[in-house]
Amino acid sequence: MTSSEENYIKGIFHLSQGGQHSITTSALAEKMETKPSSVTDMVKRLAEKGLLHYKKYQGVRLTEEGAGHALKVIRKHRLWEVFLVDKLNFAWDQVHEVAEQLEHIESEMLVDRLDALLNFPEFDPHGDPIPDKEGRFKTREKKLLSAMPAKSRGICVGVKDSSSQFLKFLDKYHIELGNTIEVLERESFDRSMHIQVGKRKLQISHQIASNLYVKPQPE
Amino acid sequence: MTSSEENYIKGIFHLSQGGQHSITTSALAEKMETKPSSVTDMVKRLAEKGLLHYKKYQGVRLTEEGAGHALKVIRKHRLWEVFLVDKLNFAWDQVHEVAEQLEHIESEMLVDRLDALLNFPEFDPHGDPIPDKEGRFKTREKKLLSAMPAKSRGICVGVKDSSSQFLKFLDKYHIELGNTIEVLERESFDRSMHIQVGKRKLQISHQIASNLYVKPQPE
DNA sequence: ATAAATATTTAGGCAAATCTAAAAATATGT
DNA sequence: ACATATTTTTAGATTTGCCTAAATATTTAT
């Protein structure tokens, strides 16, 4: 399987996570930053290989085999991200590009030993779960910070947008995974929020709050 | 630069190490396990990019830029080999294939941090020198064991053949880099040798002796 | 319900990297 | 030195993954 094929499979998998039963050609084209006609070409090839179901004009859906393959690529991607952060001291906004390359290295032994070296991590530096050898992964209760009511608290467990710009913004305001975030007040006018992180109080826009996942805490 | 182009550049570099001023199309085709006509196509492209000198029917020679690029790829390959052995406990006969893939990952930061993680190693698991960031590498006095006279001693510092079969053979007879090898006697008939490694005495064929490098020791 | 807008596929082309078969240049042997 | 053998290059084809432009199917709106 080529890198390009793997990237398509991964792209379809991610779009499917959004709840869609079937992924349209144009949605996939946008995700892959390519043209719909190129997508049509590729999905025909992947359908022939049994990795996805495709009927003309009906969009695509991964087969079991395709989904399994996607999980393997995602596992590799996330493990490499952990490696880069934990072992090579990369910042969390610097890992994606490199992991995009490393995820295509083929060697089961490499992946399994890397997993062991990193102590079988369950989440990557952005809070996304890492599938195990069998493709299983932990899920945890999480809500967008923007969906949390005033006076509630949550532990920051992940980001929705993992672009470098957003991650650097979080760094700047010292918001990191594991922090407890308390919602002090919500502004209904612009949907901005007053929050407290540790001892620091700050005001964040809706755009920020709607890209941060927290695990709600009782009381 | 594509992986394929990098592999050609690397192949030419290695062939040039053998002392040849100019590398023929057919020698390169054999090295790359491809056909001479494919080589002609590729070297034309590489010549256009300024990575090598090529005149029809005259063979090829790397430019400064080409050689610099080759050294970078070789640096990455060998660093990854050290990583696989030191950090992931790969055996020395299991690293080549995976390193062939990893050597094409593009990220200067990755390479430099990997180098630091490994404590700036100067030699890879097969005893080959690792170029530094500037392409410089240590050379050390080494001779083929087969060229050592009887009653001489040397420290095993490298292998010429790094095929899995040969490396496994060495494992089987507990010959490893760093061992002191003493030549007890040479058989002129079949050029086999009686050697002593640590406390063990063994007889090795010329084929083995001519693929093991040693650093000759005085007296 | 039918026309207009949108989405998707087809057709034909291009670049990279390979191949085979044929042509051209170089090297070798007597 | 000249014919033969070998090496190298050229020509034309294939596959992957992409493109543009045109054709076709589907969806939407009146």
Side-chain angles (χ1 to χ4, degrees):
Chain A
M1 195 157 169
T2 67
S3 292
S4 189
E5 289 174 335
E6 285 189 343
N7 286 334
Y8 271 89
I9 292 292
K10 190 170 52 118
I12 296 165
F13 186 92
H14 280 138
L15 290 175
S16 304
Q17 294 293 86
Q20 313 297 326
H21 174 261
S22 180
I23 306 304
T24 66
T25 302
S26 46
L28 191 47
E30 187 174 348
K31 178 92 178 171
M32 304 309 293
E33 296 181 293
T34 185
K35 304 291 165 182
S37 55
S38 305
V39 170
T40 302
D41 278 356
M42 180 59 95
V43 298
K44 277 181 181 171
R45 234 175 303 141
L46 293 172
E48 264 174 34
K49 294 191 181 187
L51 295 163
L52 49 80
H53 298 290
Y54 168 65
K55 276 213 277 308
K56 276 193 198 180
Y57 299 103
Q58 304 308 131
V60 299
R61 203 178 73 254
L62 292 181
T63 60
E64 287 258 317
E65 194 189 339
H69 204 102
L71 282 163
K72 282 195 173 139
V73 177
I74 289 166
R75 168 172 162 79
K76 288 192 277 182
H77 182 102
R78 294 180 179 167
L79 282 174
W80 280 116
E81 287 195 344
V82 174
F83 171 75
L84 295 172
V85 169
D86 286 8
K87 301 296 177 184
L88 301 189
N89 303 110
F90 275 56
W92 67 341
D93 65 293
Q94 298 173 313
V95 299
H96 187 75
E97 255 193 53
V98 185
E100 282 291 298
Q101 297 180 61
L102 287 164
E103 72 187 6
H104 302 295
I105 302 292
E106 285 177 61
S107 166
E108 212 174 308
M109 193 180 204
L110 174 62
V111 181
D112 293 341
R113 302 246 175 141
L114 186 65
D115 198 13
L117 176 73
L118 303 171
N119 282 119
F120 309 100
E122 295 180 332
F123 298 93
D124 78 10
H126 311 112
D128 295 313
I130 300 175
D132 68 15
K133 234 173 124 58
E134 277 72 42
R136 289 181 295 253
F137 53 85
K138 285 267 192 320
T139 49
R140 51 185 170 190
E141 193 196 355
K142 68 180 182 185
K143 288 172 76 167
L144 287 177
L145 178 57
S146 56
M148 295 285 284
K151 313 287 176 205
S152 66
R153 285 183 311 128
I155 294 171
C156 182
V157 294
V159 293
K160 188 171 171 198
D161 172 4
S162 56
S163 69
S164 184
Q165 304 95 283
F166 181 57
L167 299 176
K168 277 181 175 152
F169 174 92
L170 296 179
D171 285 342
K172 185 169 170 187
Y173 292 100
H174 307 98
I175 299 170
E176 22 184 292
L177 301 198
N179 286 164
T180 295
I181 298 180
E182 194 173 345
V183 180
L184 304 174
E185 197 186 340
R186 298 171 53 116
E187 289 290 352
S188 58
F189 176 64
D190 65 353
R191 294 183 292 170
S192 69
M193 280 181 157
H194 293 265
I195 64 173
Q196 180 156 353
V197 185
K199 283 169 199 107
R200 295 179 311 283
K201 291 181 184 172
L202 47 134
Q203 184 168 7
I204 59 172
S205 68
H206 177 70
Q207 210 204 317
I208 301 303
S210 61
N211 278 298
L212 259 182
Y213 287 116
V214 295
K215 179 176 171 191
Q217 293 299 104
E219 163 27 339
Chain B
M1 197 159 167
T2 66
S3 292
S4 188
E5 287 175 335
E6 284 189 344
N7 285 336
Y8 271 89
I9 292 293
K10 189 170 54 122
I12 296 164
F13 187 91
H14 280 137
L15 289 174
S16 304
Q17 295 291 87
Q20 313 298 325
H21 174 261
S22 180
I23 306 304
T24 66
T25 301
S26 46
L28 190 49
E30 188 174 347
K31 178 91 178 173
M32 305 308 295
E33 297 181 292
T34 184
K35 305 290 166 182
S37 55
S38 306
V39 170
T40 302
D41 279 356
M42 180 59 95
V43 298
K44 278 181 182 171
R45 233 175 305 143
L46 294 172
E48 264 174 35
K49 295 193 182 186
L51 294 164
L52 50 79
H53 299 290
Y54 167 65
K55 276 214 276 310
K56 276 192 198 180
Y57 300 103
Q58 303 308 130
V60 299
R61 203 178 74 254
L62 291 181
T63 60
E64 287 257 317
E65 193 189 339
H69 204 102
L71 282 163
K72 284 197 173 134
V73 177
I74 289 167
R75 168 172 161 78
K76 288 192 277 183
H77 182 103
R78 293 180 181 167
L79 282 174
W80 281 116
E81 288 195 343
V82 174
F83 170 74
L84 294 173
V85 169
D86 287 9
K87 300 296 178 185
L88 300 189
N89 304 110
F90 275 56
W92 66 341
D93 66 292
Q94 299 172 313
V95 299
H96 187 75
E97 254 193 56
V98 185
E100 282 290 299
Q101 297 180 62
L102 288 164
E103 72 186 6
H104 301 296
I105 303 291
E106 284 178 60
S107 166
E108 211 174 308
M109 193 180 203
L110 174 62
V111 180
D112 293 341
R113 302 245 176 141
L114 186 65
D115 198 13
L117 176 73
L118 302 171
N119 283 119
F120 308 99
E122 295 180 330
F123 298 93
D124 77 11
H126 311 111
D128 295 313
I130 301 175
D132 68 15
K133 232 172 126 59
E134 277 71 43
R136 289 180 297 252
F137 53 86
K138 286 268 190 321
T139 51
R140 51 185 171 191
E141 193 194 357
K142 67 179 183 186
K143 289 172 72 168
L144 286 176
L145 178 57
S146 55
M148 295 285 283
K151 312 287 175 204
S152 66
R153 285 185 309 129
I155 294 171
C156 183
V157 295
V159 294
K160 188 171 171 197
D161 171 4
S162 55
S163 68
S164 183
Q165 303 95 283
F166 181 57
L167 299 176
K168 277 183 175 152
F169 173 92
L170 296 179
D171 285 342
K172 184 169 172 185
Y173 292 100
H174 307 98
I175 299 170
E176 22 185 291
L177 300 198
N179 286 163
T180 294
I181 298 179
E182 194 172 348
V183 181
L184 303 173
E185 196 185 342
R186 299 172 49 117
E187 289 290 352
S188 57
F189 176 64
D190 65 353
R191 295 184 291 169
S192 68
M193 280 181 155
H194 294 264
I195 64 174
Q196 180 157 354
V197 185
K199 284 167 198 112
R200 295 178 311 282
K201 291 181 184 172
L202 48 134
Q203 184 167 7
I204 59 173
S205 68
H206 176 72
Q207 209 204 316
I208 301 302
S210 61
N211 277 299
L212 258 182
Y213 288 116
V214 295
K215 179 175 172 192
Q217 295 297 106
E219 177 358 353

